[in-house]
Amino acid sequence: MLNESLPKIWYGGDYNPEQWDEQTWDEDIRMFKLAGIDIATLNVFSWALNQPDETTYNFEWLDDKIERLYQHGIYTCLATSTAAHPAWMARKYPDVLRVDFEGRKRKFGARHNSCPNSPTYRKYSSRIASKLAERYKDHPAVLVWHVSNEYGGYCYCEQCEAAFREWLQQRYGTLEAVNKAWNTSFWGHTFYDWTEIVSPSALSEERPGNVSFFQGISLDYRRFMSQSLLDCYKLEYDAIREQDSKTPITTNLMGTFLDLDYFEWAKHLDVVSWDNYPRIDTPVSRTAMTHDLMRGLKSGQPFMLMEQTPSQQNWQAYNSLKRPGVMRLWSYQSVARGADTVMFFQLRRSVGATEKYHGAVIEHVGHEHTRVFRETAALGKELEQLSDQLLDARTNARVGIVFDWENRWAINLSSGPTIALDYVGEVHKYYDAFYQQNIQVDMIGVEEDLTKYDIVIAPVLYMVKEGYARRLEEFVSNGGTFITTFFSGVVNENDLVTLGGYPGELRQLLGIWAEEIDALHPDEKNKIVIKDDVGSLSGEYSCNILFDLIHSEGAEVIAEYGDDFYQGMPVITKNKFGKGSAWYVASSPDADFLQDLVTTVCNEKGITGLIQADHGVETAAREKNGKSFLFILNHNTNASTFDLEDKYMRDLLSGQKLTGKVTIEAKDVMILTEEKLGDL
Amino acid sequence: MLNESLPKIWYGGDYNPEQWDEQTWDEDIRMFKLAGIDIATLNVFSWALNQPDETTYNFEWLDDKIERLYQHGIYTCLATSTAAHPAWMARKYPDVLRVDFEGRKRKFGARHNSCPNSPTYRKYSSRIASKLAERYKDHPAVLVWHVSNEYGGYCYCEQCEAAFREWLQQRYGTLEAVNKAWNTSFWGHTFYDWTEIVSPSALSEERPGNVSFFQGISLDYRRFMSQSLLDCYKLEYDAIREQDSKTPITTNLMGTFLDLDYFEWAKHLDVVSWDNYPRIDTPVSRTAMTHDLMRGLKSGQPFMLMEQTPSQQNWQAYNSLKRPGVMRLWSYQSVARGADTVMFFQLRRSVGATEKYHGAVIEHVGHEHTRVFRETAALGKELEQLSDQLLDARTNARVGIVFDWENRWAINLSSGPTIALDYVGEVHKYYDAFYQQNIQVDMIGVEEDLTKYDIVIAPVLYMVKEGYARRLEEFVSNGGTFITTFFSGVVNENDLVTLGGYPGELRQLLGIWAEEIDALHPDEKNKIVIKDDVGSLSGEYSCNILFDLIHSEGAEVIAEYGDDFYQGMPVITKNKFGKGSAWYVASSPDADFLQDLVTTVCNEKGITGLIQADHGVETAAREKNGKSFLFILNHNTNASTFDLEDKYMRDLLSGQKLTGKVTIEAKDVMILTEEKLGDL
Amino acid sequence: MLNESLPKIWYGGDYNPEQWDEQTWDEDIRMFKLAGIDIATLNVFSWALNQPDETTYNFEWLDDKIERLYQHGIYTCLATSTAAHPAWMARKYPDVLRVDFEGRKRKFGARHNSCPNSPTYRKYSSRIASKLAERYKDHPAVLVWHVSNEYGGYCYCEQCEAAFREWLQQRYGTLEAVNKAWNTSFWGHTFYDWTEIVSPSALSEERPGNVSFFQGISLDYRRFMSQSLLDCYKLEYDAIREQDSKTPITTNLMGTFLDLDYFEWAKHLDVVSWDNYPRIDTPVSRTAMTHDLMRGLKSGQPFMLMEQTPSQQNWQAYNSLKRPGVMRLWSYQSVARGADTVMFFQLRRSVGATEKYHGAVIEHVGHEHTRVFRETAALGKELEQLSDQLLDARTNARVGIVFDWENRWAINLSSGPTIALDYVGEVHKYYDAFYQQNIQVDMIGVEEDLTKYDIVIAPVLYMVKEGYARRLEEFVSNGGTFITTFFSGVVNENDLVTLGGYPGELRQLLGIWAEEIDALHPDEKNKIVIKDDVGSLSGEYSCNILFDLIHSEGAEVIAEYGDDFYQGMPVITKNKFGKGSAWYVASSPDADFLQDLVTTVCNEKGITGLIQADHGVETAAREKNGKSFLFILNHNTNASTFDLEDKYMRDLLSGQKLTGKVTIEAKDVMILTEEKLGDL
């Protein structure tokens, strides 16, 4: 449990009292209480207020706010205020300003704007974290530390360049090793001195849109930048921990955000927290996948939903309102998938600047008589009633889908074979196939223990890290089912090709050789023709994007291409390996194929969906102390009926006891637990 | 009247004899006379010629050209030549070069390229204006001064940054006031010293496409830049006025050009002049609106049509020729809407550089036997015959449509709720509804006296400036009809939200409260369902883009939304306020709705169209000394018939006397005046 | 013949042994032999290896590779390694780094990255060429020198700016002449001192996308940059020639590459070589045209196909595989059109960096059991059998199509009349009309001798260089047929309009005057209506993009416009001039029109296609010692039949003897020579 002081699903969000006056503060507290809010994230962007010049620190205002809220039963998620440096610092110490990808030294403005290798930034950001921790470590209101905010963006300044060289020296030891790792004999890029290495930007090896001429340096720069920002986080973490040994520390992540390797970051977070901002047209299964990924960062440990909007965003193209019931529905979707908090950006809308049209619990009108407030308050009441029942409950999945940031970077950077390959989209296609069948999935990193799974899927496992092929072989040997796809097993961690035939280190496990890789415009399709029906796989399907031209080297050919000059070559293979089997999907298939593939492999393993329900009805289960909580989330605009058959369940939200056919209203949610017969 | 020396509609345009030789000059004059040209704009881009180095001035060539033309009866519109600095100046004094939005110091090239806060530019531009005025103030040929040319573009250099800080000090007095106006407590942007403020560019608070993270500073920078350029103009104005107390001074504007607040500029122009460059597919009502806007800049005072092409442009994507008759038709459209001159860019096509494929009266072929020349000469003859009849005639409109540059900037800069909102397009939708019914409209600024109007429309009056709500209340109290739309009344002049519920200061006047604002992709529509027929409003219409979710607080609900979760909420309301009424249109409606709305409110006020005519037949009226001139402009490719009923009219162009059904040929024009019965 | 040491079509390609180890070198040689490879291009990107610091040179590795290959019968195409400078050089001498179009000083990275006016680059690039020539001039393996690689890109640094001023002084003598040539009196850009001239970049006169405000300077900068890069080439050429008086020297060109005037370059190449990279959807006639253009650079002299991929590229959007047979088919297409070599990029795929997904003879799998290798080896065998039969054979065309880089630059830079005009595409439309009828065409420069042709076509001859009009007149006077189009004859070499009426210097020859030029959106079409049938021209066709409004001044009007206000004006004219005739096509016509036009003018001249064949079957002929080699290339996916009638031919590839109806398989090739009857 996050913190025993508040043993329930925390409910609240970002709050910026420094933008307001005394009268508003009182009104805010009155309304927070009305809404059932019990936690406020304070101090996110107050560095300039906290430290008006180099030597002065001023926290009285914060003392007052924390105390004022606490006296009304509202706890604090305490931010360190370092996500935007003060203007005076930018002027006095320009080293805090980034140089951007185009090589331009930036001026003061925006946020998330500090060079991560700036000595000034590192010194003052850790110092203020230390001062805050010293001051508030014993305050009973402070439940969790929120370091900085939404880390991201890269810098290309000279101090980053120097730090990059040091990072390389640590990683590779010698310049010879760097030259080898990056294959610099290509295009005569051999380095004879460390100082010859410059950062890969639009001025050197890269072009906008993840285009690079040297994938090795570009990949390493991404690692280095992710690490540099993480170092900033860790400096603050350590500064806090030096003062405060217990309070959990986090920073808010952003789902499938590109820049940072969150699996690496999560090792240094006591609890994962993240900000969930789907668009009106974001597939709900995409949001579900992202929640599962955030849960997977720390191997299933529940996370904080740190931010979501109660109503609408401001930075989307068309900032549609969340329709009635949707805020509640999506809040429970978070909880269903591992969130132990439901928090908003923001509690009160600001009066000016860029986020003033971002929704808030308290709107510009300032009173509680709004649809948004009513929905917020109603949810607050429900969460209060749920109490601590769900806290720390876990998800039991027998299927793991691999997600890897470094692999993603390498795929993005690859020059050829196609620009149409979208790693996250490809992963989501597989995820969605399970989601549609209500089968629980864990999103896992490449360091995750595989023994807990019956099925492991690694879409486009282009980069195979050291030892991973062997671990997959063990997994399959021991009876696991493994599925991977086209353009897998191609390179090592430095994006150097594993010679001797694709899919490289995975070749034995898969029992195939991919001789060539064809790429066509995404509108051009080929056919997957099943040879003999296997499980649900039958007839023809379509595929596109990339087409591996493979030869079986022992694998069973499940399906062949139906068109083009490689008609008759295998497109789907299944290789027995030890007690298990390894599938290869040599092209990007349509959704129908994936449905049937999922059914087939799950049937083999005896894995079934949580429940049978209509399309658009999402399910998920969390378990705790032997008790299972089954979430039913109706994303449809119509009511939907599902069948509990002879099970007897109780809905924690309505209190209703249910069996047989059950109807759930449009946008409604149920959290069902099994009842003993006698209880009914 | 502009200048009594030439009491007719001036006819001529830009002329660059410095690009040609003696023989050509003679030929030019011969052809100008053939074409009925009586004014030439000289010296627009001759700074390098006039001032070949820092200390030398050379105007003999100009003496000769002015004199030469004058001896043949051709007057001069005399430019000051400061729209492009000389190359030597850029090399010797790089402070004249701008720094662009991307932070790049520019090099010599192009035009409209001078930093408006460059001491060098200000010194030498006003000096040359002074020298010109001293030299030509008494020359009878000079009818009007043309300062610089098409001012525009912003600069982001350090001298502009310093000047911006001074401007802010003058505007706000204290840094505290700046912090408050820009709400810098958001994202911790608080300034503790003036020097911490930097210009809002792509390197700081902005991104390309009018994206800003701090609307306050971005809005002020636009004001400051508009003012800085205006200061340059004013320096030249004053330098001229010091020498020449009488000759009118102008600079040529560009219609709905984004960068400059032309209402502010117009205060310092003796006469408005502007350059009209519609594309082949520009709606004629859009051009009409822009003329009306230019006329509105000085509250109805006639303006100069300073530039138009006789045939085609060069800088459009596809530079289509003006079809036969169209140059004449569009020239009269200008006159119909307030122009007292018809002038071209350009009298002779240049032989090289970027505008050589821009149409001209004298084409590269060099003789008069061209379609374009024939049409030009024919028009010249007509204008001569029209003499001074129309000069200084005014438009009497009972409808005013509000247009405000600062509001437009604020809407453009807004982060949310939608990128689909186009202020000028939205204003034009309302304008077009009147245009289609041949109802005269004034385009007015927010300082305009409202008492002259029966109906005032302010589409998307997002920013309500100090005192304007009160003035609108007075207008309605006294019986006026006011119409405004969704996303109005939201912010004050600093883009700070008026708290307490949208539409803020307009809430009482409108009798409504807008609880939420939904944004959808423009392809997604809702329905406007009229409750009980009101005037012509009946049945259903469609709307899109933004959808205010409003509650009546006294206003009559004229129509409700037909779809989505706000079905049944008001979308059109009408509030009685004093003797008048205030309408609210809560979404962006289709053209049919606006037609019916216009009919309805005009009927209530007894306002009718000038005449009943087919679609594509434009009408406008100017009045002078109790006499009305009714323009009939047939934009169609077919002849069209309209009915004068029992009125007896004379067409000034053909001399024909008309009554009853009248046919106007395709692309033809009539200027009708009522005749006494005895005259027929 | 290129070099008598290897009297056959050379077969091989780029090889980078410096990226590999000893074991791989042995394996490579084994496989090269298997594939019939007899030439390897070495040392393309080895500068950093050859010269690890300023004073050290290291060629032992290269000695070994050349020797090792030579001992196995494989010759060397020896590159000078100067297409990418070493990292140490960039750090020590930043003058080698370019400043880009946006004004940004670049850092080390990518390739083709050296400032062409860098003293350091010029010094060290010619020095290494000299050292290489000294070392290898007598090595029997070295068949040809390959200077640098794919020259291209422009630089905008200060040393280029200074060199540009010198270049201008040489070209124009005086600043007055420059001012006149660029028409700087426009916009007051007059220069009074050479130092005032800056390079035309995004910071001065240009904008991205070939947009310029002063075409004169922009055109000259392109000439200057093409010349600057050529000077770099020439420095290396001279350095080699000083040591090695005989071995031919080349650099690999890139077809219709925009940046460089290849006709100017070709004067300094002993043999033209080029890199051919069509996409899967590139029209085969476009590739054919480009081959013909490369052949035309040196007036028909055979060229080297220096690079093509055996399978796929990496830098296209979708890198499709060459379908089975296509590599062979396209190789013979090259040979058919003048290639005396068939060479690949690359012989072995690199293990890392940006080209690792570019196809190669030896794929990552490393062995010969691949489709690509088998096809390569099969072709190797065929080429061996062909021996020297085709070497140095020539193409006899009676039709010349003019292609001119300076004209193309000027059209690209033109502001107006349309952005839709694509010079190369327009030329290709005419080329394709001949191609479809199997009529041989030469692509010729404006310095080419015209007397060898019956028909000369110059599509969009916008720029008419000094003396060219007179030469065209002579050509027609003497009986030639000349065809040109809309927007021709407009400017001189400085992009200054030829006054007095379009088409300027061509007006007499064409017997027309173009009064106006209309531009419409490309979707808007007009009609070409044939008046009285002429040859195959009959009925109606369509046209678009630009529409010259012309008057006949003696020319016969073949067709008139069918629509718009210029309906009835001439659109196709034919002017008798001396013994010949000159056609004018006043708009951009559809393909049907061009087919009929080609038929008509060829019939008049008795020019017929090589053979009658189905669409998709390409033909070309080369001749040598009175013997003709007729290539039949079936690009279709089906077999096709053509009729040899009573001719008796032998297919050099299959050895088959053929007469009457002959069937060629899909993707197959035949090289037919006429047999004496007795031979059959």
Side-chain angles (χ1 to χ4, degrees), chain B residues 527-597:
Chain B
K527 286 208 268 300
I528 295 170
V529 183
I530 303 295
K531 292 178 70 174
D532 301 305
D533 292 3
V534 178
S536 302
L537 291 165
S538 172
E540 291 185 3
Y541 308 90
S542 80
C543 59
N544 67 348
I545 307 225
L546 284 180
F547 312 86
D548 279 4
L549 275 56
I550 61 176
H551 304 273
S552 169
E553 298 182 325
E556 180 188 357
V557 177
I558 303 296
E560 298 172 345
Y561 285 109
D563 287 326
D564 219 321
F565 76 90
Y566 34 91
Q567 185 180 14
M569 287 186 81
V571 57
I572 310 295
T573 59
K574 180 185 178 184
N575 193 42
K576 288 203 194 305
F577 190 92
K579 298 184 199 152
S581 54
W583 293 70
Y584 193 74
V585 181
S587 181
S588 184
D590 61 22
D592 287 345
F593 172 82
L594 289 175
Q595 288 292 337
D596 291 343
L597 177 64

Side-chain angles (χ1 to χ4, degrees), chain C residues 13-32:
Chain C
D14 276 48
Y15 178 46
N16 297 292
E18 69 275 22
Q19 295 177 23
W20 303 96
D21 58 14
E22 178 99 27
Q23 187 187 335
T24 312
W25 300 332
D26 291 342
E27 184 64 4
D28 287 340
I29 285 176
R30 183 186 70 82
M31 289 177 69
F32 293 168

Side-chain angles (χ1 to χ4, degrees), chain A residues 263-336:
Chain A
F263 278 107
E264 202 53 38
W265 277 64
K267 294 174 184 169
H268 305 277
L269 271 59
D270 296 330
V271 57
V272 165
S273 65
W274 86 285
D275 303 344
N276 181 34
Y277 289 109
R279 289 203 314 259
I280 196 173
D281 57 354
T282 303
V284 282
S285 77
R286 179 85 178 224
T287 308
M289 178 183 84
T290 312
H291 282 306
D292 287 358
L293 177 62
M294 294 296 98
R295 187 184 69 238
L297 292 181
K298 286 188 89 71
S299 299
Q301 181 183 312
F303 57 86
M304 295 177 70
L305 178 69
M306 186 65 94
E307 295 184 17
Q308 67 171 349
T309 179
S311 52
Q312 70 195 139
Q313 272 85 65
N314 67 289
W315 45 262
Q316 295 175 351
Y318 315 107
N319 296 279
S320 310
L321 295 167
K322 285 186 177 170
R323 274 38 204 158
V326 168
M327 184 275 288
R328 173 178 177 261
L329 179 66
W330 290 2
S331 296
Y332 281 115
Q333 185 188 33
S334 309
V335 174

Side-chain angles (χ1 to χ4, degrees), chain A residues 24 74 136 156 180 196 202 223 299 305 323 328 340 352 358 449 460 468 522 553 555 598 617 631 666 678:
Chain A
T24 312
I74 298 163
Y136 299 110
Y156 299 84
K180 181 145 199 242
E196 292 161 22
R223 287 181 177 119
S299 299
L305 178 69
R323 274 38 204 158
R328 173 178 177 261
D340 275 0
H358 194 292
D449 173 20
V460 204
Y468 199 55
E553 297 182 327
V598 160
V617 175
F631 289 74

Side-chain angles (χ1 to χ4, degrees), chain A residues 18-19 45-49 84-87 108, chain B residues 183-191 214:
Chain A
E18 69 275 23
Q19 295 177 23
F45 285 105
S46 322
W47 198 349
L49 177 61
H85 50 245
F108 177 72
Chain B
N183 196 36
T184 58
S185 54
F186 177 80
W187 286 1
H189 277 214
T190 309
F191 299 106
F214 270 78

Side-chain angles (χ1 to χ4, degrees), chain B residues 417-676:
Chain B
T418 178
I419 60 165
L421 179 55
D422 165 25
Y423 175 68
V424 183
E426 207 65 33
V427 171
H428 176 245
K429 283 171 71 169
Y430 282 81
Y431 180 91
D432 186 66
F434 289 93
Y435 176 94
Q436 297 302 341
Q437 301 193 19
N438 298 314
I439 294 166
Q440 304 269 91
V441 163
D442 279 350
M443 299 294 297
I444 60 176
V446 293
E447 297 182 11
E448 189 63 58
D449 173 20
L450 301 176
T451 60
K452 29 180 173 166
Y453 300 108
D454 292 311
I455 299 172
V456 167
I457 303 175
V460 204
L461 189 66
Y462 168 69
M463 174 188 287
V464 176
K465 292 181 180 169
E466 204 179 327
Y468 199 55
R470 195 180 38 70
R471 290 179 53 218
L472 289 171
E473 287 178 353
E474 275 170 22
F475 166 72
V476 180
S477 282
N478 293 329
T481 296
F482 175 63
I483 302 176
T484 190
T485 74
F486 63 92
F487 208 44
S488 289
V490 181
V491 297
N492 71 4
E493 295 184 49
N494 294 318
D495 199 53
L496 295 178
V497 171
T498 300
L499 297 177
Y502 318 130
E505 295 189 56
L506 304 177
R507 192 163 163 193
Q508 264 202 297
L509 173 58
L510 294 160
I512 57 147
W513 165 46
E515 180 182 340
E516 299 184 72
I517 306 173
D518 195 24
L520 294 172
H521 190 283
D523 290 347
E524 295 187 60
K525 315 253 182 196
N526 205 314
K527 286 208 268 300
I528 295 170
V529 183
I530 303 295
K531 292 178 70 174
D532 301 305
D533 292 3
V534 178
S536 302
L537 291 165
S538 172
E540 291 185 3
Y541 308 90
S542 80
C543 59
N544 67 348
I545 307 225
L546 284 180
F547 312 86
D548 279 4
L549 275 56
I550 61 176
H551 304 273
S552 169
E553 298 182 325
E556 180 188 357
V557 177
I558 303 296
E560 298 172 345
Y561 285 109
D563 287 326
D564 219 321
F565 76 90
Y566 34 91
Q567 185 180 14
M569 287 186 81
V571 57
I572 310 295
T573 59
K574 180 185 178 184
N575 193 42
K576 288 203 194 305
F577 190 92
K579 298 184 199 152
S581 54
W583 293 70
Y584 193 74
V585 181
S587 181
S588 184
D590 61 22
D592 287 345
F593 172 82
L594 289 175
Q595 288 292 337
D596 291 343
L597 177 64
V598 160
T599 305
T600 302
V601 296
C602 286
N603 280 349
E604 285 177 11
K605 290 292 181 186
I607 299 171
T608 54
L610 292 165
I611 208 170
Q612 292 269 20
D614 291 339
H615 182 84
V617 175
E618 176 177 340
T619 67
R622 290 180 71 177
E623 294 176 29
K624 181 179 172 183
N625 304 331
K627 196 168 175 183
S628 178
F629 301 89
L630 176 63
F631 289 75
I632 315 285
L633 304 145
N634 185 5
H635 296 285
N636 297 309
T637 50
N638 297 314
S640 179
T641 300
F642 56 92
D643 195 346
L644 289 179
E645 295 169 4
D646 54 358
K647 269 182 275 183
Y648 292 87
M649 312 283 274
R650 191 167 59 86
D651 175 11
L652 296 190
L653 298 173
S654 65
Q656 273 192 292
K657 295 176 186 176
L658 306 163
T659 190
K661 302 226 164 168
V662 175
T663 295
I664 181 166
E665 294 303 314
K667 307 293 179 196
D668 204 0
V669 180
M670 293 176 171
I671 308 176
L672 304 180
T673 51
E674 208 147 353
E675 290 283 297
K676 293 192 207 97

